[in-house]
Amino acid sequence: MAVDEASTPDSRRVALLAPLPDHRNVDTPWWQELWRRHVHITTPLRARGLQCDIEFGLSAYIVRVSLPDDSYLIIGPPQEPSSERPPGYPEGWIATREHPDDPSLFEVLYDSSPSEDRGAPQRPEARNGGSAQPLIEAIDQRLAQLGLLPHPVLPGESPHVHSSQPTPPPRAQGVPGTPDRAPVYVYGDALRALTDGLNGAESHADAAALLHQILEPTDGLLAQLGEFFEAAGEKAKEAEEDDGFDLSYDLADAAAEIRNLGEVLHVAEDRMRALTPLASAPRLPSSPARAPSLPPGVLPPARPRPTR
């Protein structure tokens, strides 16, 4: 896949993503579409040095993660009964560790699937539903205990922590007429502050640190924006109307496109850091210009709607 073909000098790379699997399906459109819909799971794990693959389980697609001791993780939705959710966006995640030659190593690392027994107490993870971040954190914790993380993540750090820290964005100015003069677009203002910081960056290292805020695969802006659209899709389903279900699929597609963008750009930060500074390069104005309109991307074929 071209997404992983970009390269930067090894001395500048902080954390390489684990390689893609090596089989003939990797170049097929259907496998690439499945991979795209699971990048919010595979990218953080690959940033930790873990090789991932997409396979079909008992009734739904799963992520298989190879571990250094020849055991492996199986991460997927509940298999029995089968899920009607689209691949990559289940009602809950189940992560197990297994070994092909030692059944005694089987364990459940995480289970956020809803309980079928209404009278039984819910597992603490069940409240997380299909959210990816708590799943990755639970895998981090257990694999660290077992010493099976090739690139361990230190407490409070993400896989691409750098010493160069960006300048905190200035507080957005209040808008007259709003309660307590609160800003109307506080999140847009925060991103605009990052853009201003990028335009005024003194070095490519400073610019790379700002890219890190956007592209970090677990806590960066793109990752969290994917989580946002996924949550918006779940909220749309609560209406239990046809248009609510249609909207939820559109929002799920948006989440997948955003996560795929993070996968495509995962080396941009290190490539920026590796650039040779140009002393004569003019600095761009701090006021961001409006971006030109872009043609809509090619969306995957519509999925069949589940019966309700």
Side-chain angles (χ1 to χ4, degrees):
M1 292 171 65
V3 66
D4 274 18
E5 290 178 357
S7 61
T8 57
D10 290 341
S11 61
R12 299 285 185 171
R13 297 293 295 273
V14 175
L16 290 168
L17 291 182
L20 289 171
D22 183 15
H23 55 69
R24 61 184 181 182
N25 292 332
V26 170
D27 295 322
T28 62
W30 66 266
W31 189 91
Q32 292 180 4
E33 173 64 14
L34 286 170
W35 182 265
R36 184 180 71 85
R37 293 182 179 276
H38 289 84
V39 293
H40 53 307
I41 304 298
T42 59
T43 299
L45 295 176
R46 292 175 67 210
R48 289 149 172 80
L50 299 169
Q51 188 168 10
C52 303
D53 200 355
I54 306 296
E55 300 177 357
F56 192 77
L58 296 176
S59 62
Y61 286 98
I62 60 172
V63 178
R64 182 186 177 104
V65 185
S66 301
L67 298 177
D69 66 345
D70 295 329
S71 64
Y72 55 88
L73 302 181
I74 296 296
I75 305 170
Q79 300 287 311
E80 294 178 350
S82 60
S83 172
E84 294 184 342
R85 301 287 186 93
Y89 305 97
E91 61 271 29
W93 293 102
I94 300 175
T96 60
R97 177 180 173 232
E98 306 176 27
H99 194 286
D101 302 319
D102 189 354
S104 66
L105 287 182
F106 177 86
E107 62 174 316
V108 177
L109 278 65
Y110 183 84
D111 186 353
S112 64
S113 61
S115 174
E116 297 178 19
D117 185 353
R118 296 182 179 274
Q122 287 282 349
R123 291 176 295 275
E125 296 97 335
R127 66 178 181 272
N128 299 327
S131 178
Q133 186 168 344
L135 166 68
I136 300 301
E137 290 173 353
I139 292 174
D140 261 347
Q141 182 178 2
R142 181 55 180 152
L143 294 187
Q145 291 173 347
L146 296 170
L148 295 177
L149 273 181
H151 300 158
V153 180
L154 298 177
E157 290 188 342
S158 57
H160 291 76
V161 173
H162 303 295
S163 59
S164 178
Q165 296 296 328
T167 303
R171 298 183 65 180
Q173 295 180 352
V175 178
T178 59
D180 299 325
R181 298 179 62 82
V184 176
Y185 299 110
V186 68
Y187 306 108
D189 287 340
L191 185 57
R192 187 174 295 110
L194 278 178
T195 304
D196 289 344
L198 184 62
N199 288 331
E202 299 290 342
S203 69
H204 289 98
D206 291 341
L210 291 167
L211 278 175
H212 175 74
Q213 295 291 316
I214 306 298
L215 300 177
E216 198 285 317
T218 304
D219 300 315
L221 186 144
L222 284 184
Q224 294 306 310
L225 193 58
E227 293 280 336
F228 175 84
F229 279 107
E230 183 177 324
E234 293 300 314
K235 182 59 65 175
K237 287 182 182 178
E238 293 178 4
E240 296 186 353
E241 300 174 3
D242 288 343
D243 192 50
F245 282 95
D246 290 339
L247 176 58
S248 72
Y249 288 116
D250 292 340
L251 292 167
D253 282 336
E257 291 289 345
I258 290 167
R259 287 160 174 158
N260 187 54
L261 180 60
E263 175 85 356
V264 170
L265 294 175
H266 76 272
V267 296
E269 177 189 342
D270 298 316
R271 292 175 67 187
M272 177 69 78
R273 184 172 285 100
L275 293 175
T276 302
L278 298 175
S280 60
R283 181 175 297 178
L284 297 175
S286 60
S287 276
R290 182 177 297 274
S293 299
L294 297 176
V298 179
L299 295 177
R303 297 180 299 275
R305 306 304 195 210
T307 56
R308 297 183 294 279

